[in-house]
Amino acid sequence: MSAALVARALLSGLTTTEPLGSWSAPGRANLIGEHTDYNDGFVLPFAIDRRTHVALAPRADGVIRVASTFAAEPVQLPLASLTGPFPTDEVPEWAAYPLGVAWALIAASGADAASLTGVDIAIASDVPVGAGLSSSAAIEGATAAALNDTWGLGLDPVALAQVGRTAENDAVGAPTGIMDQMASMLGRADAAIFLDCRSLDATVIDLGFAEAGLELLVIDSGVQHAHSTGGYRERREACDRGAQLMGVAALRDLSAEDLPRARGVMDDVTFRRVRHVVTEDQRVLDTVQTLREQGPAAIGDLLLASHASMRDDFEISVPELDTAVEAAMGAGAIGARMTGGGFGGAAIALVPHDRVETVKDAATAAFAASGFRAPTLFTVTPSEGAGRDA
Ligand code: ADP
Ligand code: MG
């Protein structure tokens, strides 16, 4: 059964009230631009063909109740309690995503919580959790779209992306950037979103994968290293320190010409962190230009350079991800790189259609030969962003 039907079935188990509608929002993959978002820089993500679905029915009592296939029990709160600080301690973590969206939406719209229609919300998803495909942005986007329509708030997709981020930062307590939510809200079929993380200017960039006979393969290592949280924080601190030493608001304000001076005013480790971010911003710009002028078959070297920079300068790769990239390239991928926060997670590879099975086999064999646990392999297709389905 599709996730959309599962959400409907879950809703009908909650209430006999007729559903108002169904909404969905996709996960995302990031083509290039890693650890640039919190440095006010550039990213190039796309929405994928895996979505989180929400079915919604009204309630007469001013209560919001959320249920998910992930959880045994629905969770409910009076909408009137969603003013002031979010009651994080009163809800299980998963429910802080959809209830946090309701809370952030009320604050962002200025709506009077006590006058809003109560809702039952049922959630089902086919976005894998924790595989670097942002199931969190998908649940936020689907809930935000559903409540924005149901309550007639009229927020635009960028405002809804900001609502999702507020929910994740302040209700869930995860310090993430805005990239995932923007990709999930604004995605287009066969296109990526070129996002300036400072201005939030978003431009749709045609990818043309299908026309060029290319597929984007995800190689999920399944690895989650214990030091990922500390490592992420250290990298953010190094970036802040680098910007401060260079006298700029964010690393976004530096370019390659500034690197010789940077080398002189900071220690080697900080310098290499800075160099990753500065060169990665440039690689995003170069990828956009290459896609426009030459098409997707020409971006392979930029993906590889991104991986090398994360491995050698930012030092967030792990043997599993290096192995994934090497195996993919050896089996005919035209580019590959690790994605996400680092210390585990997934790699992506851009692969000619007729080489996909060969690359999958090569990755599986290389992981086995190194004694790593078998990777999870699947292709993703650039797809439409969040919206109402029925
Ligand atoms: P990801 O990389 O998949 O975004 P996160 O840790 O950011 O990983 O978000 C995953 C969390 O989001 C899950 O642990 C869960 O709390 C919540 N979540 C995602 N999808 C669902 C869903 N369909 N139902 C309930 N909770 C979900
Ligand atoms: Mg997430």
Side-chain angles (χ1 to χ4, degrees):
M1 203 176 0
S2 74
L5 289 176
V6 172
R8 280 286 175 137
L10 185 61
L11 185 68
S12 65
L14 283 181
T15 175
T16 53
T17 304
E18 193 58 23
L20 266 180
S22 297
W23 291 259
S24 66
R28 64 98 190 97
N30 189 22
L31 194 56
I32 195 162
E34 220 67 75
H35 290 265
T36 48
D37 60 346
Y38 56 80
N39 290 298
D40 276 3
F42 305 109
V43 292
L44 191 61
F46 61 87
I48 60 172
D49 53 329
R50 302 224 179 188
R51 306 178 74 86
T52 296
H53 295 262
V54 158
L56 181 148
R59 295 169 62 105
D61 60 359
V63 161
I64 179 169
R65 181 166 57 154
V66 294
S68 166
T69 55
F70 285 25
E73 296 290 333
V75 178
Q76 67 177 59
L77 288 172
L79 282 169
S81 74
L82 290 179
T83 54
F86 184 79
T88 304
D89 297 340
E90 289 165 40
V91 300
E93 187 181 70
W94 76 266
Y97 290 84
L99 294 174
V101 164
W103 168 76
L105 203 48
I106 289 167
S109 65
D112 172 17
S115 71
L116 294 171
T117 312
V119 286
D120 276 322
I121 289 176
I123 301 163
S125 180
D126 55 26
V127 186
V129 172
L133 297 174
S134 204
S135 68
S136 56
I139 189 174
E140 291 154 11
T143 310
L147 291 176
N148 188 47
D149 286 356
T150 300
W151 291 339
L153 301 176
L155 270 64
D156 66 24
V158 174
L160 294 180
Q162 286 169 314
V163 160
R165 183 199 183 168
T166 302
E168 189 152 345
N169 291 172
D170 301 339
V172 178
T176 54
I178 188 78
M179 166 173 75
D180 299 355
Q181 294 84 0
M182 289 288 280
S184 182
M185 293 306 308
L186 299 175
R188 288 280 174 272
D190 208 17
I193 304 299
F194 170 42
L195 176 66
D196 178 333
C197 295
R198 173 171 279 168
S199 66
L200 295 191
D201 280 347
T203 312
V204 175
I205 305 291
D206 288 335
L207 287 172
F209 285 168
E211 208 180 323
L214 294 172
E215 303 223 32
L216 209 285
L217 178 69
V218 177
I219 305 168
D220 181 10
S221 72
V223 173
Q224 191 57 63
H225 277 277
H227 55 284
S228 65
T229 318
Y232 182 79
R233 193 179 55 242
E234 272 174 31
R235 297 309 182 277
R236 288 191 71 139
E237 286 166 1
C239 292
D240 289 346
R241 193 164 59 242
Q244 206 176 10
L245 288 167
M246 290 297 284
V248 292
L251 293 183
R252 144 71 177 278
D253 298 309
L254 301 178
S255 66
E257 290 90 78
D258 298 307
L259 289 175
R261 184 166 71 87
R263 193 190 280 280
V265 300
M266 59 189 76
D267 64 275
D268 180 60
V269 169
T270 307
F271 171 70
R272 287 185 294 111
R273 306 300 186 247
V274 167
R275 183 165 62 186
H276 165 70
V277 174
V278 170
T279 58
E280 185 79 353
D281 271 332
Q282 188 60 48
R283 280 186 289 272
V284 176
L285 299 175
D286 292 346
T287 302
V288 169
Q289 191 181 354
T290 303
L291 284 166
R292 283 175 167 154
E293 293 174 0
Q294 301 173 58
I299 68 170
D301 288 347
L302 289 160
L303 301 182
L304 280 174
S306 172
H307 183 76
S309 180
M310 282 189 278
R311 182 190 60 208
D312 302 335
D313 271 354
F314 222 56
E315 296 182 280
I316 54 172
S317 192
V318 289
E320 288 84 348
L321 295 173
D322 294 339
T323 298
V325 168
E326 281 159 28
M329 294 308 295
I334 64 169
R337 63 179 200 87
M338 59 155 289
T339 69
F343 310 105
I348 55 170
L350 191 58
V351 185
H353 181 74
D354 60 2
R355 305 292 294 179
V356 170
E357 288 312 312
T358 315
V359 170
K360 283 183 174 178
D361 291 346
T364 302
F367 270 55
S370 300
F372 304 147
R373 118 178 192 209
T376 309
L377 302 153
F378 50 90
T379 57
V380 289
T381 305
S383 300
E384 286 295 320
R388 185 170 192 148
D389 300 319

